[in-house]
Amino acid sequence: MNAIEESLPIFAKQIDNARRQSEEAILALSTRFRGIVTSLDAAVAASEKGSGDGGRDLVGAMEDGKRQLLKVVEALEAVRSGRAALIEEIRLLAAHTRELGDMAQEVELIAFKTNMLSLNAAIEAAHADGDVGRGFAVVAQEVRQLSVESRETGKTIGRKISVISDALRHIVGVNEQAVAAEDAAVKDSEMRIASVLGHFGGMTERLLHSAENFRNESEVIKDAVMDSMVQLQFQDRVGQILSHVVGSLGDLAATAGASDDSGATEAGGGGASDYMAKLVRTYTTDEQRRIHDGTAAVAVAPQAAEFF
Amino acid sequence: MAKRILIVDDSASVRQVAGMALTRAGYEVVEAVDGEDGVSKLTGKLHLIISDVNMPRLDGIGFLKAVKANSSYKFTPVIMLTTEAGEDKKNEGRAAGAKAWIIKPFQPQTLIDAVAKLVLA
Protein backbone atom coordinates (compact mmCIF):
# COMPACT_ATOMS: atom_id res chain seq x y z
CA MET A 1 0.00 0.00 0.00
CA ASN A 2 1.50 3.32 -1.06
CA ALA A 3 1.23 6.66 0.70
CA ILE A 4 -1.76 7.74 -1.43
CA GLU A 5 -3.72 4.58 -0.66
CA GLU A 6 -2.83 4.92 3.00
CA SER A 7 -3.62 8.62 3.28
CA LEU A 8 -6.83 8.83 1.23
CA PRO A 9 -9.06 7.06 3.83
CA ILE A 10 -7.52 9.26 6.51
CA PHE A 11 -8.27 12.41 4.47
CA ALA A 12 -11.81 11.13 4.00
CA LYS A 13 -12.25 10.60 7.73
CA GLN A 14 -10.78 14.06 8.51
CA ILE A 15 -13.11 15.77 6.03
CA ASP A 16 -16.11 13.80 7.25
CA ASN A 17 -15.25 14.70 10.83
CA ALA A 18 -15.04 18.40 9.87
CA ARG A 19 -18.37 18.11 8.05
CA ARG A 20 -20.05 16.53 11.08
CA GLN A 21 -18.65 19.16 13.45
CA SER A 22 -19.82 21.93 11.13
CA GLU A 23 -23.27 20.33 10.84
CA GLU A 24 -23.64 19.98 14.61
CA ALA A 25 -22.53 23.57 15.22
CA ILE A 26 -24.83 24.97 12.54
CA LEU A 27 -27.74 22.92 13.89
CA ALA A 28 -27.06 24.23 17.42
CA LEU A 29 -26.88 27.79 16.06
CA SER A 30 -30.07 27.32 14.06
CA THR A 31 -31.84 25.91 17.13
CA ARG A 32 -30.80 28.96 19.15
CA PHE A 33 -32.03 31.27 16.39
CA ARG A 34 -35.32 29.43 16.27
CA GLY A 35 -35.59 29.85 20.05
CA ILE A 36 -34.95 33.62 19.69
CA VAL A 37 -37.66 33.97 17.05
CA THR A 38 -40.11 31.93 19.15
CA SER A 39 -39.33 34.08 22.23
CA LEU A 40 -39.81 37.27 20.22
CA ASP A 41 -43.11 35.95 18.87
CA ALA A 42 -44.24 35.24 22.45
CA ALA A 43 -43.05 38.69 23.64
CA VAL A 44 -44.85 40.46 20.79
CA ALA A 45 -48.04 38.45 21.46
CA ALA A 46 -47.82 39.34 25.18
CA SER A 47 -47.26 43.01 24.27
CA GLU A 48 -50.31 42.98 21.99
CA LYS A 49 -52.37 41.30 24.69
CA GLY A 50 -51.09 43.77 27.33
CA SER A 51 -52.04 46.80 25.27
CA GLY A 52 -55.27 45.09 24.22
CA ASP A 53 -55.39 44.02 20.61
CA GLY A 54 -52.90 46.58 19.34
CA GLY A 55 -54.07 49.22 21.86
CA ARG A 56 -57.73 49.33 20.85
CA ASP A 57 -58.87 47.98 24.27
CA LEU A 58 -56.78 50.58 26.08
CA VAL A 59 -58.15 53.44 23.97
CA GLY A 60 -61.66 52.02 24.43
CA ALA A 61 -61.19 51.90 28.22
CA MET A 62 -60.00 55.53 28.15
CA GLU A 63 -63.06 56.62 26.14
CA ASP A 64 -65.36 54.70 28.50
CA GLY A 65 -63.71 56.35 31.52
CA LYS A 66 -64.16 59.76 29.89
CA ARG A 67 -67.88 59.08 29.25
CA GLN A 68 -68.42 57.93 32.86
CA LEU A 69 -66.66 60.98 34.31
CA LEU A 70 -68.58 63.37 32.06
CA LYS A 71 -71.81 61.79 33.36
CA VAL A 72 -70.73 62.74 36.89
CA VAL A 73 -70.22 66.35 35.73
CA GLU A 74 -73.62 66.27 34.00
CA ALA A 75 -75.24 65.07 37.26
CA LEU A 76 -73.58 67.92 39.19
CA GLU A 77 -74.73 70.37 36.54
CA ALA A 78 -78.32 69.03 36.84
CA VAL A 79 -78.25 69.57 40.62
CA ARG A 80 -76.98 73.14 40.10
CA SER A 81 -79.68 73.88 37.49
CA GLY A 82 -82.37 72.47 39.81
CA ARG A 83 -81.26 74.71 42.63
CA ALA A 84 -81.22 77.76 40.36
CA ALA A 85 -84.83 76.98 39.33
CA LEU A 86 -85.78 76.69 43.02
CA ILE A 87 -84.33 80.17 43.68
CA GLU A 88 -86.53 81.59 40.92
CA GLU A 89 -89.63 79.96 42.48
CA ILE A 90 -88.74 81.43 45.88
CA ARG A 91 -88.22 84.87 44.32
CA LEU A 92 -91.75 84.66 42.85
CA LEU A 93 -93.06 83.68 46.30
CA ALA A 94 -91.28 86.71 47.82
CA ALA A 95 -93.06 88.97 45.32
CA HIS A 96 -96.41 87.56 46.52
CA THR A 97 -95.48 88.23 50.15
CA ARG A 98 -94.90 91.91 49.27
CA GLU A 99 -98.46 92.07 47.90
CA LEU A 100 -99.72 90.40 51.08
CA GLY A 101 -97.82 93.05 53.11
CA ASP A 102 -99.59 95.81 51.16
CA MET A 103 -102.94 94.11 51.78
CA ALA A 104 -102.18 93.95 55.54
CA GLN A 105 -101.46 97.71 55.49
CA GLU A 106 -104.78 98.28 53.75
CA VAL A 107 -106.50 96.25 56.50
CA GLU A 108 -104.87 98.55 59.07
CA LEU A 109 -106.02 101.64 57.13
CA ILE A 110 -109.61 100.34 56.97
CA ALA A 111 -109.46 99.65 60.71
CA PHE A 112 -108.21 103.22 61.29
CA LYS A 113 -111.03 104.65 59.21
CA THR A 114 -113.57 102.43 60.96
CA ASN A 115 -112.21 103.67 64.29
CA MET A 116 -112.65 107.26 63.14
CA LEU A 117 -116.19 106.38 62.04
CA SER A 118 -116.96 104.80 65.42
CA LEU A 119 -115.66 107.94 67.19
CA ASN A 120 -117.98 110.12 65.11
CA ALA A 121 -120.84 107.69 65.84
CA ALA A 122 -120.08 107.97 69.58
CA ILE A 123 -120.23 111.76 69.33
CA GLU A 124 -123.53 111.56 67.45
CA ALA A 125 -124.84 109.13 70.09
CA ALA A 126 -124.00 111.63 72.81
CA HIS A 127 -126.09 114.23 71.00
CA ALA A 128 -129.05 111.87 70.77
CA ASP A 129 -131.42 111.59 73.74
CA GLY A 130 -132.81 108.69 75.65
CA ASP A 131 -132.74 105.05 74.70
CA VAL A 132 -131.89 105.71 71.06
CA GLY A 133 -128.77 107.63 72.10
CA ARG A 134 -127.67 104.86 74.47
CA GLY A 135 -128.31 102.12 71.91
CA PHE A 136 -126.44 104.06 69.26
CA ALA A 137 -123.55 104.60 71.73
CA VAL A 138 -123.33 100.80 72.35
CA VAL A 139 -123.19 100.10 68.61
CA ALA A 140 -120.53 102.84 68.17
CA GLN A 141 -118.47 101.26 71.00
CA GLU A 142 -118.71 97.75 69.44
CA VAL A 143 -117.71 99.11 66.04
CA ARG A 144 -114.72 100.88 67.64
CA GLN A 145 -113.72 97.64 69.41
CA LEU A 146 -113.92 95.79 66.09
CA SER A 147 -111.75 98.42 64.38
CA VAL A 148 -109.12 98.13 67.14
CA GLU A 149 -109.09 94.33 66.79
CA SER A 150 -108.95 94.62 63.00
CA ARG A 151 -106.00 96.99 63.24
CA GLU A 152 -104.18 94.58 65.58
CA THR A 153 -104.91 91.69 63.23
CA GLY A 154 -103.62 93.76 60.27
CA LYS A 155 -100.43 94.58 62.20
CA THR A 156 -99.98 90.91 63.16
CA ILE A 157 -100.42 89.85 59.53
CA GLY A 158 -97.86 92.48 58.49
CA ARG A 159 -95.34 91.25 61.08
CA LYS A 160 -95.84 87.61 60.04
CA ILE A 161 -95.42 88.52 56.38
CA SER A 162 -92.27 90.44 57.27
CA VAL A 163 -90.91 87.36 59.07
CA ILE A 164 -91.75 85.16 56.06
CA SER A 165 -90.15 87.68 53.67
CA ASP A 166 -86.98 87.77 55.77
CA ALA A 167 -86.93 83.95 55.82
CA LEU A 168 -87.41 83.80 52.05
CA ARG A 169 -84.62 86.36 51.45
CA HIS A 170 -82.37 84.29 53.71
CA ILE A 171 -83.24 81.12 51.80
CA VAL A 172 -82.55 82.85 48.49
CA GLY A 173 -79.22 84.18 49.80
CA VAL A 174 -78.13 80.78 51.11
CA ASN A 175 -79.18 79.07 47.89
CA GLU A 176 -77.38 81.62 45.75
CA GLN A 177 -74.22 80.92 47.72
CA ALA A 178 -74.81 77.16 47.22
CA VAL A 179 -75.32 77.67 43.48
CA ALA A 180 -72.11 79.69 43.28
CA ALA A 181 -70.27 76.93 45.21
CA GLU A 182 -71.75 74.23 42.97
CA ASP A 183 -70.89 76.25 39.89
CA ALA A 184 -67.30 76.44 41.09
CA ALA A 185 -67.37 72.70 41.94
CA VAL A 186 -68.64 71.79 38.47
CA LYS A 187 -65.96 73.95 36.81
CA ASP A 188 -63.30 72.51 39.13
CA SER A 189 -64.49 68.94 38.41
CA GLU A 190 -64.45 69.58 34.68
CA MET A 191 -60.93 70.97 34.95
CA ARG A 192 -59.68 68.09 37.10
CA ILE A 193 -61.32 65.47 34.90
CA ALA A 194 -59.81 67.10 31.81
CA SER A 195 -56.42 67.13 33.57
CA VAL A 196 -56.68 63.45 34.66
CA LEU A 197 -57.91 62.35 31.24
CA GLY A 198 -55.13 64.34 29.58
CA HIS A 199 -52.58 62.72 31.89
CA PHE A 200 -53.88 59.21 31.27
CA GLY A 201 -54.31 59.94 27.57
CA GLY A 202 -50.65 60.93 27.39
CA MET A 203 -49.63 57.81 29.30
CA THR A 204 -51.78 55.62 27.03
CA GLU A 205 -50.29 57.21 23.95
CA ARG A 206 -46.73 56.75 25.27
CA LEU A 207 -47.54 53.14 26.25
CA LEU A 208 -49.00 52.38 22.82
CA HIS A 209 -46.09 54.10 21.12
CA SER A 210 -43.64 52.15 23.25
CA ALA A 211 -45.47 48.85 22.55
CA GLU A 212 -45.53 49.65 18.84
CA ASN A 213 -41.81 50.46 18.88
CA PHE A 214 -41.15 47.20 20.67
CA ARG A 215 -43.16 45.25 18.11
CA ASN A 216 -41.46 47.02 15.20
CA GLU A 217 -38.00 46.43 16.69
CA SER A 218 -38.93 42.81 17.37
CA GLU A 219 -39.99 42.37 13.75
CA VAL A 220 -36.66 43.86 12.59
CA ILE A 221 -34.74 41.49 14.89
CA LYS A 222 -36.86 38.52 13.80
CA ASP A 223 -36.28 39.35 10.14
CA ALA A 224 -32.54 39.57 10.82
CA VAL A 225 -32.53 36.25 12.69
CA MET A 226 -34.67 34.57 10.02
CA ASP A 227 -32.31 35.92 7.39
CA SER A 228 -29.38 34.49 9.37
CA MET A 229 -31.16 31.13 9.42
CA VAL A 230 -31.55 31.34 5.67
CA GLN A 231 -27.81 32.02 5.36
CA LEU A 232 -27.12 28.92 7.49
CA GLN A 233 -28.52 26.81 4.67
CA PHE A 234 -24.99 26.94 3.24
CA GLN A 235 -24.29 24.05 5.61
CA ASP A 236 -26.61 21.76 3.66
CA ARG A 237 -24.78 22.52 0.40
CA VAL A 238 -21.34 22.31 2.02
CA GLY A 239 -22.33 19.06 3.76
CA GLN A 240 -23.40 17.52 0.46
CA ILE A 241 -20.22 18.67 -1.30
CA LEU A 242 -18.02 17.33 1.49
CA SER A 243 -19.92 14.03 1.60
CA HIS A 244 -19.37 13.75 -2.11
CA VAL A 245 -15.64 14.47 -1.63
CA VAL A 246 -15.46 11.81 1.11
CA GLY A 247 -17.22 9.28 -1.09
CA SER A 248 -15.03 10.17 -4.04
CA LEU A 249 -11.88 9.81 -1.96
CA GLY A 250 -13.03 6.32 -1.03
CA ASP A 251 -13.63 5.56 -4.71
CA LEU A 252 -10.19 7.03 -5.56
CA ALA A 253 -8.51 4.84 -2.96
CA ALA A 254 -10.28 1.81 -4.42
CA THR A 255 -9.30 2.86 -7.95
CA ALA A 256 -5.67 3.41 -6.89
CA GLY A 257 -5.63 0.01 -5.17
CA ALA A 258 -7.00 -1.67 -8.28
CA SER A 259 -4.34 0.02 -10.39
CA ASP A 260 -1.60 -1.23 -8.05
CA ASP A 261 -3.01 -4.75 -8.20
CA SER A 262 -2.99 -4.59 -11.99
CA GLY A 263 0.63 -3.35 -12.01
CA ALA A 264 -0.09 0.17 -13.22
CA THR A 265 2.06 2.91 -11.76
CA GLU A 266 -0.76 5.47 -11.44
CA ALA A 267 -4.52 5.76 -11.58
CA GLY A 268 -5.06 5.69 -15.26
CA GLY A 269 -6.66 3.78 -18.09
CA GLY A 270 -10.22 2.49 -17.79
CA GLY A 271 -10.26 2.76 -14.00
CA ALA A 272 -9.48 6.46 -14.12
CA SER A 273 -12.05 7.28 -16.79
CA ASP A 274 -14.74 5.30 -14.96
CA TYR A 275 -13.81 7.08 -11.78
CA MET A 276 -14.00 10.54 -13.43
CA ALA A 277 -17.31 9.67 -15.12
CA LYS A 278 -18.80 8.62 -11.78
CA LEU A 279 -17.42 11.80 -10.21
CA VAL A 280 -19.31 13.98 -12.71
CA ARG A 281 -22.44 11.83 -12.54
CA THR A 282 -22.73 12.09 -8.79
CA TYR A 283 -22.36 15.87 -8.48
CA THR A 284 -25.50 17.41 -6.95
CA THR A 285 -24.78 21.14 -7.18
CA ASP A 286 -23.97 23.58 -9.95
CA GLU A 287 -20.83 24.82 -8.23
CA GLN A 288 -19.38 21.26 -8.17
CA ARG A 289 -19.88 21.01 -11.94
CA ARG A 290 -18.48 24.52 -12.49
CA ILE A 291 -15.37 23.76 -10.42
CA HIS A 292 -14.93 20.46 -12.21
CA ASP A 293 -15.12 22.27 -15.57
CA GLY A 294 -12.63 24.88 -14.38
CA THR A 295 -15.26 27.62 -14.31
CA ALA A 296 -15.28 30.00 -11.35
CA ALA A 297 -17.83 28.92 -8.74
CA VAL A 298 -20.44 31.58 -8.05
CA ALA A 299 -22.49 32.00 -4.89
CA VAL A 300 -25.99 30.59 -5.31
CA ALA A 301 -28.68 33.15 -4.52
CA PRO A 302 -32.22 32.14 -3.48
CA GLN A 303 -34.40 31.67 -6.55
CA ALA A 304 -38.11 31.57 -7.36
CA ALA A 305 -39.99 28.27 -7.29
CA GLU A 306 -40.43 26.49 -10.61
CA PHE A 307 -43.88 24.98 -11.03
CA PHE A 308 -44.54 21.95 -13.24
CA MET B 1 -57.97 23.41 11.59
CA ALA B 2 -54.38 23.84 10.39
CA LYS B 3 -53.35 22.10 7.19
CA ARG B 4 -50.71 19.35 7.70
CA ILE B 5 -47.46 19.39 5.77
CA LEU B 6 -44.76 16.69 5.77
CA ILE B 7 -41.16 17.90 5.41
CA VAL B 8 -38.62 15.23 4.42
CA ASP B 9 -34.98 16.35 4.59
CA ASP B 10 -31.82 14.86 6.09
CA SER B 11 -30.56 18.35 7.02
CA ALA B 12 -31.89 19.28 10.46
CA SER B 13 -31.17 22.97 9.87
CA VAL B 14 -33.23 22.98 6.65
CA ARG B 15 -36.08 21.19 8.46
CA GLN B 16 -35.86 23.89 11.13
CA VAL B 17 -35.99 26.84 8.70
CA ALA B 18 -38.77 25.34 6.60
CA GLY B 19 -40.66 24.07 9.65
CA MET B 20 -40.50 27.39 11.43
CA ALA B 21 -41.57 29.36 8.34
CA LEU B 22 -44.57 27.08 7.76
CA THR B 23 -45.56 26.93 11.42
CA ARG B 24 -45.52 30.74 11.58
CA ALA B 25 -47.65 30.78 8.43
CA GLY B 26 -50.25 28.67 10.27
CA TYR B 27 -49.49 25.15 9.03
CA GLU B 28 -49.01 22.02 11.11
CA VAL B 29 -45.65 20.45 10.27
CA VAL B 30 -44.56 16.81 10.42
CA GLU B 31 -40.83 16.08 9.93
CA ALA B 32 -38.99 13.08 8.49
CA VAL B 33 -35.19 12.67 8.33
CA ASP B 34 -35.00 10.80 4.99
CA GLY B 35 -37.10 9.05 2.36
CA GLU B 36 -37.66 5.90 4.36
CA ASP B 37 -38.70 7.90 7.42
CA GLY B 38 -40.92 9.93 5.09
CA VAL B 39 -42.72 6.77 3.90
CA SER B 40 -43.34 5.78 7.53
CA LYS B 41 -44.84 9.25 8.15
CA LEU B 42 -47.46 8.81 5.40
CA THR B 43 -50.31 8.60 7.89
CA GLY B 44 -53.42 10.71 8.42
CA LYS B 45 -54.42 13.65 6.28
CA LEU B 46 -51.50 15.41 4.56
CA HIS B 47 -52.28 18.51 2.49
CA LEU B 48 -48.80 18.78 0.96
CA ILE B 49 -45.34 17.16 1.06
CA ILE B 50 -41.95 18.89 0.78
CA SER B 51 -38.98 16.64 0.04
CA ASP B 52 -35.23 16.95 -0.43
CA VAL B 53 -33.69 14.97 -3.32
CA ASN B 54 -30.28 13.77 -2.11
CA MET B 55 -30.86 11.82 1.10
CA PRO B 56 -29.43 8.60 2.60
CA ARG B 57 -31.34 5.29 2.60
CA LEU B 58 -34.18 6.38 0.25
CA ASP B 59 -33.60 9.52 -1.87
CA GLY B 60 -36.21 12.13 -2.78
CA ILE B 61 -37.09 10.69 -6.20
CA GLY B 62 -37.57 7.24 -4.67
CA PHE B 63 -39.72 8.72 -1.91
CA LEU B 64 -41.75 10.70 -4.50
CA LYS B 65 -42.44 7.49 -6.42
CA ALA B 66 -43.52 5.80 -3.17
CA VAL B 67 -45.92 8.66 -2.48
CA LYS B 68 -47.46 8.49 -5.95
CA ALA B 69 -47.78 4.70 -5.63
CA ASN B 70 -49.77 5.11 -2.42
CA SER B 71 -53.49 5.44 -3.28
CA SER B 72 -54.12 7.63 -0.22
CA TYR B 73 -51.50 10.21 -1.22
CA LYS B 74 -51.22 9.97 -5.01
CA PHE B 75 -53.00 13.34 -5.38
CA THR B 76 -51.11 15.07 -2.55
CA PRO B 77 -48.96 17.83 -4.11
CA VAL B 78 -45.18 17.39 -3.63
CA ILE B 79 -42.60 20.19 -3.72
CA MET B 80 -38.95 19.16 -4.21
CA LEU B 81 -36.63 21.36 -2.11
CA THR B 82 -33.05 20.60 -3.09
CA THR B 83 -29.52 21.80 -3.89
CA GLU B 84 -29.89 19.81 -7.11
CA ALA B 85 -30.14 22.24 -10.04
CA GLY B 86 -29.41 19.80 -12.87
CA GLU B 87 -32.11 19.63 -15.58
CA ASP B 88 -31.87 15.82 -15.73
CA LYS B 89 -32.78 15.46 -12.08
CA LYS B 90 -35.48 18.10 -12.40
CA ASN B 91 -37.04 16.23 -15.34
CA GLU B 92 -36.84 13.03 -13.32
CA GLY B 93 -38.79 14.72 -10.52
CA ARG B 94 -41.34 16.18 -12.92
CA ALA B 95 -41.87 12.76 -14.49
CA ALA B 96 -42.31 11.16 -11.06
CA GLY B 97 -45.11 13.63 -10.24
CA ALA B 98 -43.54 16.59 -8.42
CA LYS B 99 -45.54 19.84 -8.66
CA ALA B 100 -42.72 22.32 -8.01
CA TRP B 101 -38.93 22.53 -7.71
CA ILE B 102 -37.24 24.94 -5.30
CA ILE B 103 -33.46 25.20 -5.20
CA LYS B 104 -31.66 25.70 -1.87
CA PRO B 105 -30.84 28.13 -0.41
CA PHE B 106 -34.46 29.29 -0.37
CA GLN B 107 -36.26 32.29 1.03
CA PRO B 108 -38.93 31.15 3.51
CA GLN B 109 -41.49 33.36 1.75
CA THR B 110 -40.80 31.58 -1.55
CA LEU B 111 -41.65 28.27 0.13
CA ILE B 112 -44.75 29.68 1.88
CA ASP B 113 -46.06 31.16 -1.39
CA ALA B 114 -45.49 27.90 -3.26
CA VAL B 115 -47.20 25.89 -0.49
CA ALA B 116 -50.16 28.30 -0.41
CA LYS B 117 -50.55 28.08 -4.19
CA LEU B 118 -50.47 24.27 -4.28
CA VAL B 119 -52.58 23.66 -1.16
CA LEU B 120 -55.35 25.81 -2.64
CA ALA B 121 -55.08 24.30 -6.08
Side-chain angles (χ1 to χ4, degrees), chain A residues 27 30-31 34 37 41 226 229-230 233 235-237 240 284-286 289 300 302-303 305-308, chain B residues 11-13 16-17 20 24 54 83-85 90 94 98-106 108 110 114 117:
Chain A
L27 181 59
S30 177
T31 305
R34 185 173 184 165
V37 172
D41 277 342
M226 289 284 282
M229 289 179 77
V230 171
Q233 291 177 49
Q235 183 275 327
D236 187 41
R237 297 182 75 83
Q240 285 200 30
T284 59
T285 66
D286 269 352
R289 297 183 185 101
V300 180
Q303 299 167 31
E306 185 179 345
F307 293 94
F308 301 145
Chain B
S11 166
S13 59
Q16 275 204 345
V17 175
M20 192 173 73
R24 283 164 60 83
N54 298 301
T83 55
E84 184 62 70
K90 211 181 281 184
R94 189 199 321 251
K99 286 286 180 188
W101 196 272
I102 297 176
I103 295 172
K104 298 174 187 172
F106 64 97
T110 303
K117 185 174 177 177

Side-chain angles (χ1 to χ4, degrees), chain B residues 75-96:
Chain B
F75 298 114
T76 304
V78 178
I79 295 175
M80 305 309 288
L81 181 63
T82 173
T83 55
E84 184 62 70
E87 284 301 320
D88 290 347
K89 197 60 96 176
K90 211 181 281 184
N91 288 333
E92 207 179 329
R94 189 199 321 251

Side-chain angles (χ1 to χ4, degrees), chain A residues 28 52 81 85 103 109 131 141 150 200 212 219 244 246 248 250 282:
Chain A
S81 299
M103 286 163 74
L109 189 62
D131 288 343
Q141 178 61 33
S150 298
F200 278 104
E212 192 184 344
E219 285 303 322
H244 183 263
V246 170
S248 300
T282 51

Side-chain angles (χ1 to χ4, degrees), chain B residues 4-23:
Chain B
R4 286 179 86 230
I5 294 174
L6 173 63
I7 300 175
V8 187
D9 201 307
D10 59 325
S11 166
S13 59
V14 170
R15 289 200 307 273
Q16 275 204 345
V17 175
M20 192 173 73
L22 292 169
T23 304

